[in-house]
Every structure is written in C-alpha cells, then in structure tokens.
Amino acid sequence: MKKLFTSESVTEGHPDKICDMISDAVLDSILSQDPRARVACETFATTGLVNVMGEITTEAYVDIPAVVRETIRCIGYDRAKYGFDCDTCGVLSSIHEQSPDIAMGVDKSFEAKAGEEAHSTGAGDQGMMFGFACDETPELMPLPISLAHKLAKQLTKVRKDGMLSYLRPDGKTQVTVEYDRDKPVRLDTIVLSTQHDPEVSLETIRREIRDTVIQPIAGDMMDADTVVHINPTGRFVIGGPAGDTGLTGRKIIVDTYGGYARHGGGAFSGKDPTKVDRSAAYLSRYIAKNIVAAGAAKKCEVQLAYAIGVANPVSLMIDTFGTGLVSDESLSDYIMQNVDMRPDAIIQRFDLLRPIYTPLAAYGHMGREDLNAPWEKTDLAPAVRAAFSL
C-alpha cells in the first residue's frame, strides 16, 4: 500500500527560529557562568523589536541585549536593507525569578529522603514527552524530516559561504516522501522558499537553488516524476521578523520528528535541563534510538510522563508498532530496571549543564549526530542486544 508523508524545516533566519536561537543563546550565556541556574527564557521578535521574557534565577550576569544582537548578527541579519537588523532593532527584557512554588518542588523532589543530595531534583513541571526512532536513515530518523533539515542547512551554507550571495536569511523547506508498505521508495515533492535580494531574477534563483541545494542533497532520491517548487509565489524579498512575528517554541514539530511521531506539546529552547520538556524528551529519543539500534525493532516510540516536584516518571510507554522482535512490555520492563529517568540522572547521563544549546535551536534537536548530541549515542544498544539475545 502506497502513501505520502510530508515534513518541513526552516532556516535559522526564520522569525520563529531567530527567537529559539536567542532564547538558547541566553541560556548558554548563563550556564557558562552558573550551571545550576534556573532558566525559562522566551523571545518574540517583530519589525524593529525583540522582547526577551521569562523566569531566570541565577548568580550570573548576562548582557541580554548584547547576546540578542550577536545572535542576530551571526544568523545574518546585519544589514538595514533587510528591514530587521542586529544594530538597529530595539531590545526589551522582561525577566523575573523562578516562582518559589515551582522551585520548592524542583530543589527537592517528593521522593527525596532527609539529607539526600544525589538525584534529589524533582521534575520542573508535569507533562508528557515523546521520543522516536526508525531505521529509514543512518541517524535513525524519519526520512522526510531528515531531508528537510539537510536542505535547510544547505540553503544556509550556500548563503553564508557566498556561493549565492543574493540570498537572505529566511527560508523554508518541505519534503514529501512516497512510502510503499511503510518503506520510503521515492521523493514525490520538494518545496523550497528562500528570501532573496530584489534584483535577482526568479529564473536565476530557481536554477541555482536546484543546482547547489536540491541536487546535492536529494538528487539521488529524485526521479522524473518528482515535483519541485522553488519560491512558488515568485517573490520573497521581505522576510524574517519584518515579514512575520517570531516566537520561541512555535516550531516544536520541526524540532523533533516532523510530525511522523507524536509530540507532548512542550518546547525546548530557552529551558534549563531541570525542565523535563527538554531533558526527558532527549532521554525518550535516546531510549527509542537504542532500541532500534539494538535491532529490537524497526521503529520505536517512547512516552515518558512526569508530575511536578516528583523525580521518577509517573509512566513509561514503548510502542514498536508491530515491528519488534521483543514485546513492548518486555522492553518497558527492561528500561524501567536499567535506565534512571529522574531529572538529575538524565542531566548527569548527558552532561546537560553545559552551554551546548544554541546550535541545537535550528535544524532539529533529534538526529544531531553532526553536533555529537549525547542523546544520539547508541551505547545502550549492546546491553539491549545481550539482554534479549538479539
């Protein structure tokens, strides 16, 4: 049975991604001085204005306007003609400390015994987090989102290295893959929209984007019937925050699995790792990826759920969609017995108190083997294989 599935990605110059990168740049600046800081930083950006908001408790001093401007500069909005730039935009900050009611449960978990220090951190909020892996790509990600991210990164590369000097920072990609019996067989459609200088012709954009972005990334998987749309409206000069308001956390599907798997609804960027929206989502991906890497299943989805102030998850679900060589119940039992899922344990396992988050804010948090993301390691897979004689 054939079906189509589509995922999208966006470049770092997309208004929502600008906000994600600013929020994570503020987080990284704080963690570099105060690894135990509590940070929940959100950003919105519009024409001529960036507002950084949230709850931050720290001993560090961070020049937030300087962080904002440098992040925007690195993305590429460094020219006034873009309608939004790092030197002339206004920067406002609306920051207060973390609620003491929340801190009370995070500082010491419901289960912690008197005098206990290790693993005593409670979850920073209630909620559910999903992780996913499948064998469609070497990094064990779904093919549509993997290709959409690669196209977006290549689009940024040819802009930043000057190959296509007329490109501007904002851009979006979209990939539709045809599946036959749940196996990807061909690329049905590619959509790519890129911001550009007004002087360049649409013909030039379409020819050079096809040659330098699409062909190098997706050429081997395209066929004569693959449909390619490049700047289908014909013009994309006004972009970034001058064209659309941006907001942290509005691209959570782009950040994870492109809609191929379920999502708990929590965003990642701007949150320190006591927030299980972030850290437990990374752990869920790690568990799912190691189950697939072990050969226990061809695809795997993991759900974790937490209660605020409680360290241990209230539930774990593993679903291998009928592809498992081991029962889902057996896999769940193994993970419960062998993986510590309390927030402090997750933080220690992945060394999450480091300033590692800004590069993750664009092009996905999952499948990031290019960044050596620790939740992408498959070091648990040998133990899973041994436990089930795979």
Side-chain angles (χ1 to χ4, degrees), residues 88-126:
T88 65
C89 68
V91 179
L92 301 177
S93 61
S94 305
I95 303 294
H96 57 88
E97 290 188 343
Q98 184 182 59
S99 162
D101 295 341
I102 295 174
M104 178 174 60
V106 177
D107 291 340
K108 188 172 184 179
S109 72
F110 174 80
E111 307 100 322
K113 299 176 182 178
E116 183 181 28
E117 294 294 336
H119 303 305
S120 61
T121 297
D125 201 353
Q126 70 176 49

Side-chain angles (χ1 to χ4, degrees), residues 16-184:
D16 293 330
K17 277 294 144 200
I18 295 171
C19 294
D20 285 341
M21 292 189 72
I22 289 171
S23 294
D24 273 334
V26 171
L27 171 64
D28 281 346
S29 296
I30 292 171
L31 290 180
S32 66
Q33 302 175 52
D34 181 7
R36 291 290 176 181
R38 298 286 163 73
V39 181
C41 178
E42 299 190 50
T43 303
F44 83 73
T46 188
T47 305
L49 178 65
V50 175
N51 194 342
V52 180
M53 308 160 287
E55 300 79 46
I56 298 176
T57 302
T58 182
E59 298 298 320
Y61 170 74
V62 172
D63 186 341
I64 288 179
V67 172
V68 170
R69 296 187 191 282
E70 183 59 26
T71 303
I72 296 169
R73 188 185 310 278
C74 290
I75 290 170
Y77 286 105
D78 55 358
R79 305 174 193 180
K81 68 179 183 179
Y82 291 170
F84 176 87
D85 73 278
C86 58
D87 295 315
T88 65
C89 68
V91 179
L92 301 177
S93 61
S94 305
I95 303 294
H96 57 88
E97 290 188 343
Q98 184 182 59
S99 162
D101 295 341
I102 295 174
M104 178 174 60
V106 177
D107 291 340
K108 188 172 184 179
S109 72
F110 174 80
E111 307 100 322
K113 299 176 182 178
E116 183 181 28
E117 294 294 336
H119 303 305
S120 61
T121 297
D125 201 353
Q126 70 176 49
M128 64 280 192
M129 302 83 209
F130 285 93
F132 182 80
C134 62
D135 63 359
E136 293 180 11
T137 63
E139 68 274 22
L140 303 183
M141 286 285 287
L143 182 60
I145 189 64
S146 178
L147 285 177
H149 284 324
K150 289 176 181 177
L151 288 169
K153 284 195 285 185
Q154 181 70 3
L155 181 60
T156 297
K157 181 179 183 299
V158 300
R159 171 177 64 87
K160 286 189 169 182
D161 67 15
M163 183 180 295
L164 301 184
S165 59
Y166 54 79
L167 295 182
R168 295 182 177 184
D170 199 354
K172 302 180 78 171
T173 63
Q174 185 172 284
V175 176
T176 301
V177 175
E178 181 180 307
Y179 287 79
D180 187 1
R181 296 179 177 85
D182 285 335
K183 291 184 179 181

Side-chain angles (χ1 to χ4, degrees), residues 38-355:
R38 298 286 163 73
V39 181
C41 178
E42 299 190 50
T43 303
F44 83 73
T46 188
T47 305
L49 178 65
V50 175
N51 194 342
V52 180
M53 308 160 287
E55 300 79 46
I56 298 176
T57 302
T58 182
E59 298 298 320
Y61 170 74
V62 172
D63 186 341
I64 288 179
V67 172
V68 170
R69 296 187 191 282
E70 183 59 26
T71 303
I72 296 169
R73 188 185 310 278
C74 290
I75 290 170
Y77 286 105
D78 55 358
R79 305 174 193 180
K81 68 179 183 179
Y82 291 170
F84 176 87
D85 73 278
C86 58
D87 295 315
T88 65
C89 68
V91 179
L92 301 177
S93 61
S94 305
I95 303 294
H96 57 88
E97 290 188 343
Q98 184 182 59
S99 162
D101 295 341
I102 295 174
M104 178 174 60
V106 177
D107 291 340
K108 188 172 184 179
S109 72
F110 174 80
E111 307 100 322
K113 299 176 182 178
E116 183 181 28
E117 294 294 336
H119 303 305
S120 61
T121 297
D125 201 353
Q126 70 176 49
M128 64 280 192
M129 302 83 209
F130 285 93
F132 182 80
C134 62
D135 63 359
E136 293 180 11
T137 63
E139 68 274 22
L140 303 183
M141 286 285 287
L143 182 60
I145 189 64
S146 178
L147 285 177
H149 284 324
K150 289 176 181 177
L151 288 169
K153 284 195 285 185
Q154 181 70 3
L155 181 60
T156 297
K157 181 179 183 299
V158 300
R159 171 177 64 87
K160 286 189 169 182
D161 67 15
M163 183 180 295
L164 301 184
S165 59
Y166 54 79
L167 295 182
R168 295 182 177 184
D170 199 354
K172 302 180 78 171
T173 63
Q174 185 172 284
V175 176
T176 301
V177 175
E178 181 180 307
Y179 287 79
D180 187 1
R181 296 179 177 85
D182 285 335
K183 291 184 179 181
V185 293
R186 58 179 293 273
L187 297 188
D188 183 82
T189 307
I190 294 174
V191 182
L192 189 151
S193 296
T194 180
Q195 188 186 13
H196 59 85
D197 288 345
E199 298 83 9
V200 63
S201 70
L202 180 60
E203 179 184 357
T204 297
I205 294 171
R206 287 177 172 170
R207 182 183 68 252
E208 294 189 347
I209 289 295
R210 183 182 279 270
D211 290 345
T212 65
V213 178
I214 294 176
Q215 194 64 34
I217 298 299
D220 292 343
M221 289 168 278
M222 298 167 64
D223 60 27
D225 295 322
T226 300
V227 176
V228 177
H229 295 293
I230 299 171
N231 280 19
T233 66
R235 181 178 170 87
F236 186 4
V237 173
I238 300 172
D244 191 10
T245 298
L247 183 66
T248 298
R250 202 156 53 183
K251 287 291 179 284
I252 56 176
I253 299 301
V254 172
D255 288 342
T256 51
Y257 308 100
Y260 199 98
R262 285 172 282 196
H263 197 293
F268 304 151
S269 289
K271 297 178 180 178
D272 76 79
T274 66
K275 280 73 172 173
V276 284
D277 278 343
R278 174 165 233 155
S279 53
Y282 294 161
L283 181 65
S284 298
R285 162 65 178 170
Y286 172 79
I287 293 168
K289 184 173 184 179
N290 275 271
I291 287 171
V292 174
K298 296 178 71 63
K299 64 173 65 173
C300 179
E301 186 176 73
V302 174
Q303 186 203 52
L304 290 172
Y306 290 82
I308 187 168
V310 180
N312 284 292
V314 299
S315 70
L316 165 69
M317 181 277 296
I318 292 179
D319 187 351
T320 57
F321 305 96
T323 71
L325 300 181
V326 180
S327 73
D328 295 346
E329 183 179 3
S330 296
L331 288 170
S332 296
D333 289 343
Y334 177 83
I335 295 300
M336 288 292 292
Q337 294 169 14
N338 292 279
V339 177
D340 193 337
M341 293 173 279
R342 294 178 291 180
D344 266 356
I346 302 172
I347 289 168
Q348 290 183 18
R349 178 184 286 273
F350 299 141
D351 196 10
L352 294 180
L353 298 181
R354 299 171 293 143

